[in-house]
Amino acid sequence: MTDTAVRAGAAAGALPAHPLDPATAGEYLAGRQIMAAAGLLAEPVRFAYYGLEEPPKDEVLGAKATDRRLRAFLINLDTGESTDAVVSLGQRRVIGARRVDPPADGQLPITDTDFATVDEIVHADPGWRAAMARRGLADVSVIRTCPITAGAFGPAGDDRRRMVRVLAFVQAREHDLAWAHPVDGVAAYVDLIEKKVFKIVDEFELPVPAESGDYDDPAVRGPYRGTLRPIEITQPEGPSFTLEGNLLRWQDWSMRVGFDAREGLTLHQISLRSGGRERPVIYRASVPEMVVPYGDPRFRYWQTYFDTGEYLVGKWANSLELGCDCLGEIRYLDATVTDDSGHPRVIPNAICVHEEDFGILWKHTDIFNGSAQSRRQRRLVVSFFTTVGNYDYGFYWYFYLDGTIECEIKMTGVVFTAAHPGGDDPHSAEIAPGLGAPVHQHLFSARLDMTVDGLANAVEEVDFTGLPIGPDNPYGNAIVQRATRLTRESQAARRADASRGRTWRVISTEHTNRFGRPVGFTLCPEAAPPLLADPAAPVSARAGFAASHLWVTRYDPAQRYPAGDFVNQHPGGAGLPAFVAGDRNLDGADIVLWHTFGPVHFPRPEDWPVMPVTRCGFTLRPAGFFDRNPTLDVPPPSPRCRHA
Ligand code: CO
């Protein structure tokens, strides 16, 4: 155990202030003890996931959530026996231990131990060494192995095995960027239980690209530019938000900040104070899955990452540095996850909370009364960054003065590379001489457990359309807004449509505004393509959620993950397509919105050797939630700004 873990364990006594607060180090240790006493942790059993089992919503809202529960995915590294266990800390016993049976149930996520052992196994394998030697790479100490989750390709594949497929990269010098030097055409398939390479796929040879990608090397980047003068962000009176434990309040907003090894940042009980009332908007918001399907049908056809369900984005969260990752008046929250043995590991400064100026909020110069007014927009930012292999992802949630909520993913890091065959290749871009980057999608799924002014909500799809010339529209200029109520789950798997400006409005079926219309919030999508793989492709079954931009389900505390609980090597059909199979009624119900978003990435030369951030996301805007602009009471930024 590390010093940090020991210190965290010593603080075990304190009970969390709120049932949705993240699990503490002491709780992880207590849960571990209970599981050990129940015989669940015999060697060599490891934790593939360990986190808080949140109480159901009705217990939290009814202040009846008195127990703390933890969920653990346990795997025996020698037999593969897999268990999904739930432990009650209050009752001090294991209250659930379900076997997970691959291949039908899928496999537990990849563990840290898997990563470490795969590297040893591959380096020791004679067949792989021979394949490297044939390529002139006799010294395998310079070769880095990259284990990639295997996917599922039916009985003809190797689906009964818990396995990864391993690609290789050359890193000749300590600071060299290995991704610049892929050894293409050869992959080692590793059985993680037998702990051996069971197949070498050696299809073709292409030269290992030679040009350095070490972006920190002056020979690659050139001298630093000397023309950037400092920008300093100061808030001499401190920020305008408060953090009491995990309760975050800023202006009219309040929310609870959570963190999970699988999902990363989670936000709970997001509400807005207006008219002297605390008005709920979202009970829980997170991005509980993302899939990166690659579009090269050849040698690497199997390359698809479910970064959240297979690798757990939360546990790879970065420790953020003030002045580097974040500027200004920052408040950080640590995150506590665990290692493979279930011991706590604190990630210091994992969550960044700060406030930003965001330009103009509203402005008007009146031509009749001469008044010239402007107000500045601000936003509260809650974020974390994670590194999953070659990519780095920032998950940012913004809350604005006017009630807008925005989720933004920042994608950066290094593109996944291959050797480029030269000429025009439809499936891969040449980004450096002889270096290719295969086309892929990044498809995120946000889970938005909506509570717009209470639990009784409904969803409308809102399209704009022009009307044809007719007796009521003689000049053909008519525009109408068409709202279609999505009343059942079968109806509510929808695609975005930019040509109609399509949005989805979540309304209360109990509360109205001063116009007698339901109060609501509108989900505004970016309308990038959904999953482009053929509907019959194995990945389409596994990432069924990504075929639609919107899903609406009736709240069920067991339905948390859009591609199902056990994503790794799962044959498909789990998650959202299964959730909606019961075709439950959504109208006036407690509903959850699921939104798929993210770009198609055909890499550009400018994405190499490290990508400038690309953004994707969505916004949720109040739509009749307020009776008028809720920011008239925002004062001018300085007395100088108040004219006439
Ligand atoms: Co990309």
Side-chain angles (χ1 to χ4, degrees):
M1 226 170 15
T2 63
D3 283 356
T4 316
V6 171
R7 275 203 309 280
L15 258 181
H18 191 273
L20 298 175
D21 280 352
T24 64
E27 289 181 312
Y28 282 124
L29 290 171
R32 196 183 177 284
Q33 264 178 6
I34 296 165
M35 283 183 271
L40 289 175
L41 301 185
E43 265 303 295
V45 170
R46 294 291 180 274
F47 288 72
Y49 165 76
Y50 196 13
L52 179 71
E53 174 78 353
E54 286 171 25
K57 192 192 287 182
D58 59 337
E59 289 184 22
V60 175
L61 297 181
K64 289 179 296 193
T66 51
D67 195 10
R68 290 280 285 181
R69 294 175 178 181
L70 300 175
R71 188 180 191 189
F73 295 170
L74 303 171
I75 181 157
N76 183 311
L77 297 178
D78 284 351
T79 64
E81 189 180 329
S82 300
T83 308
D84 175 8
V86 178
V87 53
S88 159
L89 299 180
Q91 302 171 40
R92 293 200 59 78
R93 66 186 186 92
V94 175
I95 54 171
R98 188 171 79 79
R99 269 191 70 130
V100 179
D101 285 320
D105 289 349
Q107 293 273 0
L108 297 188
I110 299 294
T111 66
D112 300 353
T113 314
D114 291 333
F115 277 125
T117 52
V118 161
D119 191 59
E120 288 171 28
I121 293 166
V122 172
H123 273 92
D125 183 72
W128 180 80
R129 295 174 77 103
M132 292 299 132
R134 276 198 296 282
R135 289 164 169 80
L137 298 163
D139 174 13
V140 296
S141 72
V142 299
I143 301 179
R144 302 286 159 258
T145 58
C146 179
I148 296 170
T149 45
F153 294 90
D158 303 297
D159 289 358
R160 64 177 184 83
R161 299 173 182 272
R162 175 171 168 82
M163 64 173 286
V164 289
R165 305 180 206 263
V166 181
L167 296 174
F169 297 83
V170 176
Q171 184 185 5
R173 291 172 293 105
E174 195 188 344
H175 288 286
D176 201 11
L177 185 77
W179 308 107
H181 313 297
V183 184
D184 210 347
V186 59
Y189 292 4
V190 175
D191 188 309
L192 295 169
I193 303 303
E194 294 176 357
K195 298 179 184 60
K196 67 169 195 194
V197 174
F198 67 90
K199 190 188 286 180
I200 297 284
V201 176
D202 192 349
E203 279 194 6
F204 58 88
E205 285 181 35
L206 281 171
V208 176
E211 187 176 281
S212 174
D214 182 0
Y215 45 80
D216 201 24
D217 178 354
V220 173
R221 63 165 161 78
Y224 286 130
R225 63 183 70 182
T227 50
L228 287 170
R229 292 174 181 162
I231 291 182
E232 287 187 4
I233 296 164
T234 53
Q235 293 184 271
E237 296 171 35
S240 318
F241 61 82
T242 61
L243 251 176
E244 296 162 46
N246 287 70
L247 176 62
L248 175 59
R249 290 181 191 278
W250 178 73
Q251 300 301 300
D252 295 327
W253 291 103
S254 94
M255 67 199 71
R256 306 199 68 92
V257 181
F259 195 87
D260 176 69
R262 178 169 181 165
E263 289 174 87
L265 183 61
T266 58
L267 296 174
H268 308 262
Q269 298 190 301
I270 301 167
S271 69
L272 270 166
R273 171 157 283 274
S274 88
R277 283 195 303 132
E278 204 63 47
R279 300 176 65 190
V281 179
I282 309 179
Y283 177 75
R284 189 183 193 280
S286 70
V287 182
E289 194 53 87
M290 61 167 296
V291 61
V292 187
Y294 281 73
D296 187 337
R298 299 164 295 193
F299 167 71
R300 57 186 71 242
Y301 66 90
W302 39 263
Q303 196 177 356
T304 294
Y305 309 93
F306 289 77
D307 288 81
T308 311
E310 293 177 339
Y311 296 105
L312 313 188
V313 298
K315 79 173 183 182
W316 301 104
N318 296 171
S319 280
L320 300 169
E321 298 262 355
L322 185 60
C324 309
D325 300 305
C326 326
L327 277 189
E329 280 290 330
I330 306 294
R331 299 293 179 268
Y332 290 111
L333 288 166
D334 297 344
T336 304
V337 296
T338 67
D339 62 19
D340 278 6
S341 62
H343 287 113
R345 176 169 69 86
V346 175
I347 306 172
N349 295 358
I351 303 167
C352 171
V353 181
H354 74 287
E355 197 179 11
E356 282 177 357
D357 179 274
F358 197 66
I360 296 295
L361 166 63
W362 55 261
K363 178 171 171 64
H364 180 59
T365 302
D366 195 86
I367 57 168
F368 297 119
N369 73 10
S371 160
Q373 302 275 334
S374 57
R375 301 291 184 273
R376 299 215 48 98
Q377 176 67 288
R378 278 192 202 194
R379 61 187 187 183
L380 174 71
V381 189
V382 189
S383 68
F384 85 107
F385 239 101
T386 184
T387 302
V388 189
N390 52 305
Y391 261 97
D392 301 76
Y393 295 101
F395 291 75
Y396 283 66
W397 290 88
Y398 302 115
F399 299 86
Y400 293 85
L401 290 174
D402 65 350
T404 300
I405 301 171
E406 186 179 357
C407 171
E408 178 184 77
I409 313 293
K410 303 189 189 204
M411 293 164 281
T412 180
V414 181
V415 288
F416 203 95
T417 55
H420 194 276
D424 279 335
D425 181 359
H427 310 299
S428 141
E430 190 169 21
I431 52 171
L435 183 69
V439 61
H440 54 276
Q441 293 186 270
H442 299 259
L443 292 161
F444 300 85
S445 175
R447 180 180 182 277
L448 304 165
D449 183 347
M450 303 301 294
T451 44
V452 178
D453 255 344
L455 296 177
N457 284 180
V459 182
E460 295 174 336
E461 178 167 279
V462 181
D463 285 354
F464 295 114
T465 184
L467 295 182
I469 289 178
D472 298 329
N473 183 27
Y475 301 102
N477 64 311
I479 300 169
V480 291
Q481 179 178 272
R482 290 222 165 104
T484 309
R485 196 90 157 225
L486 307 175
T487 60
R488 304 202 69 86
E489 289 177 332
S490 62
Q491 259 191 300
R494 305 295 301 162
R495 286 194 172 183
D497 184 347
S499 71
R500 295 167 195 273
R502 178 169 293 168
T503 57
W504 296 289
R505 187 159 62 203
V506 183
I507 55 174
S508 165
T509 52
E510 287 176 346
H511 294 275
T512 53
N513 56 29
R514 65 169 165 156
F515 310 100
R517 300 190 193 284
V519 297
F521 259 78
T522 295
L523 170 63
C524 306
E526 286 179 347
L531 185 67
L532 293 172
D534 189 281
V539 69
S540 296
R542 301 186 64 228
F545 73 87
S548 296
H549 292 108
L550 180 82
W551 302 77
V552 188
T553 59
R554 204 168 164 124
Y555 170 77
D556 176 339
Q559 296 178 347
R560 278 167 282 184
Y561 305 111
D565 284 15
F566 310 108
V567 180
N568 188 16
Q569 293 184 255
H570 196 284
L576 279 164
F579 300 163
V580 303
D583 196 19
R584 293 166 293 189
N585 172 46
L586 302 170
D587 215 44
D590 181 6
I591 55 167
V592 179
L593 238 60
W594 308 74
H595 176 43
T596 306
F597 62 96
V600 184
H601 189 188
F602 201 95
R604 310 165 299 157
E606 292 87 346
D607 290 334
W608 184 255
V610 62
M611 282 175 288
V613 162
T614 305
R615 294 168 177 82
C616 64
F618 61 90
T619 52
L620 280 160
R621 304 178 67 201
F625 188 81
F626 300 107
D627 286 337
R628 60 177 191 176
N629 181 345
T631 65
L632 301 185
D633 59 349
V634 171
S638 118
R640 282 185 290 116
C641 308
R642 191 195 291 272
H643 304 298

